[in-house]
Amino acid sequence: MSEYVTIQINDKPIVAKKGDNLLKVARENGFEIPGLCYHPRLSPTGACRLCVVKIAGVQGLVMSCTVQVTDGMNVIAFDEELERNRRHTLAYLLAEHNEEYDATYVDEFKPLIEKYQLLNTKERPIQSFWQNIPRVIDDTSPVLTYDSSKCIRCFRCIKACEELQGKGVLSFADRGIQKYIVAGLANWGDSECDGCGECIQLCPTGAIVEKPNREVIDVNKIQRKVITSCPYCGVGCQIEVWVQDNKIVRINGVEDVSPNYGRLCVKGRFGYQYANHKERLTQPLVRKNGKLVPTTWEEALTIVAQKFAEIKQKYGNKALAGYSSAKCSNEDNYIFQKFIRIAFGNNNVDYCTRLCHASTVAAMIRSLGDGAGSNSIEDFETTDCLIVIGNNIIETHPVTATFIKRGKQKGQKIIVIDPKWTPLVKYADIFLQPRLATDVALLNGMMYVIIKNDLINKSFIEQRIEGGWETFKQLEKVVMKYTPDIVEKITGVPEKLFSEAAIMYATAPTAMIATGMGMSQQTVGTNNVFALLNMCLITGQIGRERCGVNPPRGQNNVQGATDVGASPIMYPGYIPVTNEEIRKKVADIWQVPFEQLDPNPGLTTLEIMDAAHERKVKAMYIMGENPVVTDPNQLHTIEALQNLEFLIVQDIFMTETAAYAHVVLPATSLFEKDGTVVNSDRRVLRLRKAIVSDKNIWPDWKIIVEIANRMSINIGNYNNEEEIWNEIRQVAPIMSGISYERIDKQGIQWPCWHEQHPGTSTLYTEKFNTLTGKAKIYPVEYQEQSEKPSVEFPLVMNSGRILYQYHSATMTRKSEVLNTFANESYVLIHPEDAQKYNISNHAKVKVVSPRGELTTKAIISDEVLPGEVFMPWHFHEAPVNALTRNEKDPISKIAPFKYSVVRIELV
Amino acid sequence: MQNNKNDENNFEILNQFRPERTEILKALHSLQNANPQHYISSDAMKAVAKYFNITLGQVYGIVTYYSMFSTKPRGKYIIRLCKSPVCYMKGSFNLKNYLEEHLQLTASTENISADGLFTIETTECLGHCEQAPAMMVNNTIYSNLTREKIDEILHALKTNNYEL
């Protein structure tokens, strides 16, 4: 409970939280004290001197932004002297300021100039002299321009970069009146700036202005500003979309709303060009005489309905399958899985989560009972110790990473475990760099250290783990084989380092783990996560606030798609398809005969592709996925798609996969959608239509319903997305309490059982979600890979993502800004290997695996270990998945994207 | 990622310091002193950023804040002429013109005489007011300056038989 104090401002009594900022309190209570350097998200600076007030008992004028309220404080915010003082200060600031204005930004100066009657330059007490101050313009950044003549040296940008984003790229150069803002060595474009634009959003006077759309935007002509959720990763940032002439012209972070509190990354702020791109699909296409040609919706839908019905009749239920989409809304995904289950009569619905966190979810459901992150994104800032394992979090979840960097500033301990150097290493206390696919050995080794040092949490083990001490003893038997020398030999990590890390984690008052694709995308992916959970459980670093395990999700709605049932094994709300009672309940809500719902689990993503390859699955419905680029073993995928009798692809662009389709249907992008998504910390967030799509482009759910109607199958008729959501709430109890109205401003985290329930910020604080309410330990052994380096393929390739591109890059490569930052494939190779294979930096090389080959550029870097190479997989012209294999993790069916043997040859 | 020769030299110097923020100024001085052109090169600033785990902008901010640091190459001899009131009253302004004319060089950190020997800068008080006007050449102070004395000093510097 916070303590409250009473203060007086101009004789008005005000109750405020003790320690709150005086300027903030005053403004919240209707006292519009001017100020340019203060921003509620930043620490106070006291640079502009406009917010002066008088405080009884304090000599002179005080800058209110630097004062914390205390009980009985008596403040005068407005009187003649203060206003005269402010007018004079403002005139001083103006004298140093270039007042040219082009209406491409919101200028906080303007209203003050009017208010203090300084419009007439002749009547100003100080005449303009900015022309005599050396003017510095830095136009080298792809996203912004800095002009010192408009800069009031207020510190906001520097603090935005340092305090909010944790990057510290900006600084003042020079001194006195000539000082100006620099990034890098006075060259923004060549600095560490990654283009997040936080400084642009916070600049009060147009000194830092946005570059994209500068020729177009006019702040007086903005039609609407719409708040929706970012279309990229799973952080779920809330964005304010500015629309002019039905085009997106700017995106800002929404101030003071979770989970991002105004912060964005470069993709979220600048990656919107795809929505208005000329290559958008604007009409349905059907294949005639081998070519895709434009057609009407009526013809396209009729063909689809007929073909589905025909194939179902000819080959039976099992011959049809669908890929749902982590890029589509909950409502779209719910309707999609409902369509598959009712119209196809099977459970063959899956999506990219199978290639992403399937192993994490599999392990977490078995061990903890839920397949979602246990904490809130904000907890990344406040936990005492954080392990980030197999997750390049700064590049893949940039805004979650801002919380970590802020935590670091407050003394958080950070342990990074990754075979490849990632930017978070700069912030880390300990960096462990194990060889690829040796995670189980490393984690077992860390548990060895924890047990040897008696750092286990005995009461937690006894009270909250199934089988208690007995189970622990079984685990102990396994991990005690992983003595430090053995672990050091397998992983290459020095004993000293992993011992320190183990002790740091086990002894921290609170500790969290973020796990990523590096752990999950292996043939031993599920075991990796079991090992991680075991370490977490024996130390009791879960089941409390700011403790737990979190898999930050890669796509905006990868969490939601599974939550609402895009899964071959689960109905909406994580209820197994095999559960007869639930099927009865669902059949009732869906108004279909109970017997019509298939009681058997369906095929997973890669199993569907395998079945297509074997011609067992004859027809596929792909919504918003691009498996030709994203599935492993590209040749196999292409052959599978070619073997299909009928393929429909529903997308916003003509993708590499759509090229193999018989029918292509144009769907709305996220910016044209209403609905909801669920982010990484289980927060249900709203999507709102910002731009109006071409009338020939339909919402995904509507297309699905229209297909069902033409098959004479009733999957429900809905007037809008809210009706669909309310049905989801009926089917999935975890969502029951979440209505559109309740999440109008702030999202709510599931489980939320009824409309008065506040949602759940931390999972497992009372019990685990297993049948017994206790967590389970699954001891696992290190297994060697079936694929091993050889004379022919001596290197091991790891794959991953980079900040500036996103997945198969269908969306991001439509953005000039993002392409300016990075638009070229490469392979990272260690200097030793480069020397060994005679490869020079930037040489054109061929990367060959047993499955295929590609051509790319070599970059020599010690970010990777000797014997290992790394490639980003965004670039279709150098398709990394031509090299990967479709061997599967036996439990979760995930593919080993992180481990393929290759050789590198000069071209 | 590959280190060149300059980088090796820079890191050799940096390794003498603990990688803590309080050491940054000392390290910058050492780097500048080790440079025959009395400046902190881009490579050196990049090495500092890496060594102290700070950003380039932060290094640049520090370097440009202090007038004793330069980001541009300077002459072998940096002449710092005092512009404080006492020296000014004793004619330092005229001496500045004289120096500029003599060396065909405008006083500025960015300018080097054609022979690469000289850079003229002005400086705040050198603490030799009783012997004004004064100037400093690299680390040596010269006071009670006259045109003749300046001629003498410059000649000595040019013929390289002057101990500095």
Side-chain angles (χ1 to χ4, degrees):
Chain A
M1 289 295 284
S2 327
E3 214 183 308
Y4 287 88
V5 296
T6 306
I7 65 167
Q8 277 198 349
I9 302 181
N10 280 50
D11 296 331
K12 182 184 173 187
I14 288 165
V15 177
K17 257 194 255 165
K18 189 182 171 183
D20 253 7
N21 185 286
L22 174 58
L23 178 57
K24 179 169 161 267
V25 171
R27 284 184 179 174
E28 280 168 2
N29 285 281
F31 294 93
E32 280 305 320
I33 301 173
L36 289 171
C37 69
Y38 175 78
H39 191 279
R41 289 198 280 142
L42 302 174
S43 66
T45 304
C48 77
R49 309 194 67 89
L50 286 170
C51 69
V52 285
V53 293
K54 292 175 184 168
I55 300 174
V58 181
Q59 208 179 9
L61 304 183
V62 188
M63 286 170 285
S64 58
C65 73
T66 63
V67 176
Q68 295 182 338
V69 292
T70 53
D71 203 30
M73 187 178 264
N74 191 352
V75 180
I76 295 173
F78 288 96
D79 69 11
E80 208 196 312
E81 186 192 356
L82 284 168
E83 287 294 88
R84 204 169 51 234
N85 187 295
R86 286 173 188 150
R87 183 171 189 269
H88 204 78
T89 305
L90 193 65
Y92 246 123
L93 288 169
L94 277 172
E96 292 177 21
H97 188 71
N98 169 8
E99 287 173 68
E100 288 164 25
Y101 181 64
D102 60 4
T104 64
Y105 60 92
V106 177
D107 188 357
E108 294 182 28
F109 245 136
K110 290 255 171 287
L112 294 179
I113 296 172
E114 277 175 44
K115 185 179 171 195
Y116 287 94
Q117 294 164 8
L118 289 165
L119 272 174
N120 187 344
T121 50
K122 288 197 184 90
E123 283 173 19
R124 292 180 185 175
I126 303 138
Q127 290 309 303
S128 193
F129 63 91
W130 69 268
Q131 298 88 341
N132 305 327
I133 305 168
R135 181 177 183 180
V136 178
I137 296 175
D138 188 339
D139 197 30
T140 55
S141 159
V143 299
L144 59 84
T145 305
Y146 170 73
D147 180 350
S148 71
S149 73
K150 295 191 173 180
C151 178
I152 57 163
R153 287 83 176 162
C154 68
F155 277 93
R156 270 205 207 172
C157 56
I158 293 178
K159 289 188 171 185
C161 195
E162 172 78 28
E163 293 178 5
L164 301 181
Q165 291 278 342
K167 293 170 187 162
V169 174
L170 304 185
S171 174
F172 277 124
D174 219 320
R175 61 190 170 282
I177 202 168
Q178 325 187 39
K179 85 181 165 186
Y180 63 100
I181 301 290
V182 282
L185 304 177
N187 183 318
W188 224 295
D190 200 23
S191 73
E192 301 94 335
C193 170
D194 65 10
C196 75
E198 190 78 48
C199 56
I200 310 173
Q201 183 166 333
L202 264 58
C203 178
T205 57
I208 300 177
V209 286
E210 205 161 310
K211 197 174 267 184
N213 285 325
R214 194 181 299 156
E215 306 305 318
V216 179
I217 195 168
D218 180 340
V219 291
N220 304 312
K221 289 185 184 159
I222 299 298
Q223 285 170 303
R224 52 187 173 272
K225 296 179 180 177
V226 178
I227 292 175
T228 187
S229 305
C230 174
Y232 288 104
C233 80
V235 178
C237 292
Q238 295 300 290
I239 53 176
E240 185 184 72
V241 184
W242 292 20
V243 181
Q244 181 179 323
D245 296 332
N246 199 38
K247 284 200 171 68
I248 302 171
V249 289
R250 180 162 299 168
I251 285 180
N252 276 336
V254 182
E255 299 276 342
D256 272 335
V257 171
S258 65
N260 53 313
Y261 301 95
R263 291 169 237 161
L264 291 181
C265 77
V266 64
K267 289 193 290 285
R269 192 179 297 276
F270 297 109
Y272 54 77
Q273 274 177 341
Y274 76 91
N276 291 108
H277 199 272
K278 61 179 188 309
E279 286 171 24
R280 278 287 298 276
L281 286 170
T282 53
Q283 46 193 344
L285 308 171
V286 300
R287 193 168 292 279
K288 286 182 180 163
N289 301 322
K291 277 174 81 177
L292 284 169
V293 292
T295 184
T296 61
W297 272 104
E298 196 45 54
E299 189 190 7
L301 294 171
T302 307
I303 292 173
V304 172
Q306 275 173 0
K307 269 294 192 184
F308 279 160
E310 190 186 305
I311 286 169
K312 190 174 163 187
Q313 203 185 11
K314 197 165 158 196
Y315 303 104
N317 283 2
K318 304 284 178 196
L320 301 116
Y323 273 13
S324 205
S325 175
K327 293 244 77 65
C328 289
S329 68
N330 290 328
E331 290 75 4
D332 295 332
N333 276 290
Y334 174 80
I335 294 297
F336 190 88
Q337 59 91 36
K338 188 176 177 185
F339 173 82
I340 300 283
R341 298 196 211 277
I342 298 176
F344 288 0
N346 63 36
N347 292 312
N348 290 343
V349 52
D350 207 359
Y351 68 108
C352 69
T353 191
R354 192 64 47 195
L355 310 172
C356 163
H357 265 308
S359 46
T360 318
V361 172
M364 293 204 312
I365 284 192
R366 281 170 175 76
S367 183
L368 312 174
D370 265 319
S374 49
N375 303 85
S376 300
I377 287 172
E378 292 94 325
D379 297 340
F380 281 96
E381 183 172 327
T382 51
T383 189
D384 297 295
C385 175
L386 178 71
I387 293 182
V388 178
I389 182 165
N391 190 336
N392 182 2
I393 202 161
I394 286 188
E395 296 198 67
T396 56
H397 306 89
V399 174
T400 301
T402 63
F403 287 92
I404 303 174
K405 291 184 268 187
R406 286 157 62 89
K408 179 73 198 169
Q409 289 168 357
K410 297 174 196 157
Q412 178 181 88
K413 297 282 181 211
I414 299 175
I415 299 162
V416 174
I417 307 177
D418 210 300
K420 177 186 167 289
W421 182 93
T422 72
L424 189 66
V425 174
K426 280 190 185 172
Y427 301 81
D429 295 274
I430 300 176
F431 172 39
L432 309 182
Q433 195 171 16
R435 294 190 189 102
L436 282 167
T438 60
D439 308 85
V440 170
L442 180 69
L443 292 163
N444 280 351
M446 287 170 72
M447 279 184 264
Y448 176 101
V449 175
I450 288 167
I451 295 169
K452 273 278 174 193
N453 286 285
D454 199 22
L455 297 173
I456 56 169
N457 187 332
K458 293 194 186 75
S459 63
F460 186 91
I461 292 170
E462 274 161 9
Q463 288 160 23
R464 302 208 54 186
I465 293 175
E466 221 171 289
W469 200 245
E470 279 305 302
T471 317
F472 170 72
K473 282 289 168 194
Q474 285 163 17
L475 174 71
E476 188 182 26
K477 223 162 100 189
V478 173
V479 303
M480 291 323 267
K481 289 187 283 188
Y482 293 81
T483 55
D485 53 321
I486 290 176
V487 172
E488 193 169 320
K489 211 167 137 207
I490 298 173
T491 64
V493 181
E495 179 193 342
K496 187 177 168 293
L497 280 184
F498 68 76
S499 297
E500 261 179 55
I503 293 167
M504 187 180 277
Y505 173 74
T507 55
T510 59
M512 271 166 50
I513 297 172
T515 175
M517 299 297 97
M519 291 283 279
S520 67
Q521 292 178 332
Q522 297 184 26
T523 53
V524 292
T526 312
N527 281 358
N528 283 342
V529 180
F530 276 137
L532 195 63
L533 293 170
N534 292 345
M535 184 169 81
C536 176
L537 289 168
I538 63 167
T539 51
Q541 296 288 30
I542 190 166
R544 289 176 288 139
E545 297 279 325
R546 299 181 284 135
C547 294
V549 178
N550 297 273
R553 313 303 304 250
Q555 308 221 35
N556 57 330
N557 200 29
V558 70
Q559 182 68 50
T562 313
D563 295 347
V564 301
S567 160
I569 50 172
M570 311 269 200
Y571 273 109
Y574 297 89
I575 295 150
V577 294
T578 48
N579 184 324
E580 196 156 305
E581 224 170 286
I582 293 298
R583 275 206 322 285
K584 277 184 181 150
K585 181 192 145 193
V586 173
D588 203 35
I589 296 169
W590 288 356
Q591 296 173 350
V592 292
F594 157 67
E595 300 73 27
Q596 205 180 314
L597 297 178
D598 188 348
N600 302 306
L603 298 175
T604 61
T605 302
L606 295 183
E607 287 171 338
I608 290 172
M609 215 43 101
D610 287 349
H613 199 263
E614 292 164 22
R615 297 178 197 272
K616 286 182 188 152
V617 162
K618 301 283 187 183
M620 258 185 96
Y621 185 173
I622 298 179
M623 173 174 82
E625 285 220 353
N626 190 9
V628 167
V629 181
T630 59
D631 277 13
N633 199 347
Q634 190 178 49
L635 187 61
H636 177 84
T637 307
I638 291 172
E639 284 171 1
L641 296 176
Q642 285 171 332
N643 285 352
L644 289 169
E645 277 186 26
F646 189 60
L647 170 64
I648 82 167
V649 171
Q650 183 169 311
D651 215 304
I652 60 174
F653 286 107
M654 191 66 205
T655 62
E656 289 78 5
T657 303
Y660 296 94
H662 300 90
V663 176
V664 179
L665 302 175
T668 47
S669 76
L670 178 131
F671 293 111
E672 298 145 3
K673 270 183 195 199
D674 279 314
T676 56
V677 290
V678 187
N679 77 342
S680 295
D681 65 358
R682 299 167 277 106
R683 217 177 293 239
V684 183
L685 303 159
R686 278 298 312 272
L687 295 178
R688 292 184 188 85
K689 195 185 283 188
I691 49 172
V692 182
S693 53
D694 188 295
K695 67 177 182 336
N696 239 347
I697 297 176
W698 292 9
D700 289 279
W701 65 267
K702 204 163 206 164
I703 301 173
I704 305 164
V705 170
E706 290 297 328
I707 293 171
N709 286 345
R710 279 166 186 73
M711 292 171 78
S712 304
I713 288 170
N714 178 23
I715 61 165
N717 275 306
Y718 308 89
N719 294 309
N720 55 45
E721 291 75 7
E722 192 170 5
E723 289 180 9
I724 303 173
W725 176 252
N726 287 337
E727 184 177 312
I728 297 173
R729 293 168 63 195
Q730 280 183 288
V731 180
I734 52 171
M735 304 294 191
S736 299
I738 304 174
S739 65
Y740 272 25
E741 198 189 338
R742 284 190 75 193
I743 56 170
D744 190 42
K745 291 230 157 51
Q746 294 269 6
I748 294 177
Q749 290 164 286
W750 66 254
C752 177
W753 307 108
H754 52 79
E755 290 220 1
Q756 280 71 44
H757 193 281
T760 310
S761 59
T762 308
L763 294 179
Y764 320 127
T765 50
E766 277 152 32
K767 64 179 190 66
F768 290 95
N769 206 17
T770 53
L771 285 175
T772 57
K774 292 185 175 187
K776 290 186 200 169
I777 279 179
Y778 291 85
V780 283
E781 299 268 11
Y782 165 69
Q783 291 166 19
E784 283 193 23
Q785 294 288 303
S786 63
E787 176 155 307
K788 289 189 178 66
S790 60
V791 179
E792 202 186 351
F793 302 105
L795 299 164
V796 184
M797 186 193 71
N798 181 6
S799 68
R801 298 193 278 144
I802 59 172
L803 173 66
Y804 300 104
Q805 294 293 345
Y806 183 78
H807 291 193
S808 71
T810 311
M811 289 152 61
T812 42
R813 280 181 111 179
K814 305 289 188 298
S815 160
E816 281 166 32
V817 165
L818 297 175
N819 287 343
T820 311
F821 277 109
N823 192 22
E824 200 184 358
S825 158
Y826 57 84
V827 58
L828 292 185
I829 180 165
H830 192 273
E832 278 176 29
D833 292 320
Q835 199 173 20
K836 199 150 127 198
Y837 303 109
N838 203 16
I839 288 161
S840 56
N841 204 15
H842 294 182
K844 196 173 169 193
V845 291
K846 206 157 81 174
V847 185
V848 190
S849 91
R851 269 75 55 186
E853 61 178 62
L854 54 80
T855 307
T856 185
K857 182 175 88 172
I859 292 182
I860 300 172
S861 163
D862 57 9
E863 288 183 13
V864 290
L865 289 168
E868 298 181 0
V869 298
F870 172 87
M871 276 194 79
W873 59 271
H874 308 290
F875 305 99
H876 65 86
E877 64 276 22
V880 169
N881 283 324
L883 310 177
T884 54
R885 67 194 196 280
N886 53 341
E887 189 185 337
K888 296 174 202 68
D889 171 38
I891 304 173
S892 66
K893 318 291 182 191
I894 203 165
F897 293 96
K898 301 292 185 192
Y899 195 101
S900 318
V901 295
V902 296
R903 68 168 177 272
I904 296 189
E905 301 167 353
L906 275 176
V907 176
Chain B
M1 282 283 166
Q2 278 172 320
N3 293 347
N4 57 30
K5 190 79 190 141
N6 278 342
D7 240 15
E8 270 175 40
N9 291 342
N10 288 333
F11 280 102
E12 207 172 290
I13 293 168
L14 287 168
N15 280 328
Q16 299 162 15
F17 300 91
R18 282 173 286 129
E20 292 163 13
R21 288 195 167 213
T22 48
E23 300 282 288
I24 295 174
L25 276 183
K26 285 188 254 173
L28 287 170
H29 274 296
S30 292
L31 286 165
Q32 177 161 292
N33 293 343
N35 189 311
Q37 289 180 295
H38 304 288
Y39 81 114
I40 302 173
S41 66
S42 296
D43 280 346
M45 284 189 274
K46 283 175 189 165
V48 169
K50 198 172 170 186
Y51 188 78
F52 290 99
N53 196 14
I54 59 176
T55 61
L56 290 172
Q58 288 164 340
V59 179
Y60 193 80
I62 297 168
V63 171
T64 55
Y65 182 81
Y66 294 100
S67 60
M68 294 296 273
F69 291 138
S70 173
T71 60
K72 303 265 165 55
R74 293 184 280 191
K76 185 178 174 189
Y77 303 114
I78 303 165
I79 301 171
R80 295 189 176 92
L81 190 65
C82 180
K83 63 172 179 188
S84 294
V86 179
C87 287
Y88 190 86
M89 287 188 291
K90 296 275 268 177
S92 68
F93 187 73
N94 292 335
L95 289 179
K96 178 173 156 247
N97 289 344
Y98 181 73
L99 268 171
E100 286 182 332
E101 209 173 296
H102 192 97
L103 294 171
Q104 290 292 296
L105 189 61
T106 318
S108 159
T109 306
E110 292 174 21
N111 297 338
I112 308 176
S113 61
D115 55 10
L117 284 181
F118 298 102
T119 292
I120 308 169
E121 293 176 7
T122 54
T123 176
E124 302 303 335
C125 182
L126 291 169
H128 285 255
C129 310
E130 79 285 5
Q131 301 168 45
M135 71 177 189
M136 197 161 110
V137 180
N138 293 0
N139 291 322
T140 312
I141 300 260
Y142 300 90
S143 47
N144 290 324
L145 291 174
T146 58
R147 290 187 179 206
E148 292 69 32
K149 194 160 177 189
I150 283 179
D151 282 344
E152 225 173 86
I153 295 164
L154 292 182
H155 178 74
L157 291 171
K158 277 182 189 165
T159 50
N160 204 19
N161 57 6
Y162 211 88
E163 198 60 40
L164 279 167

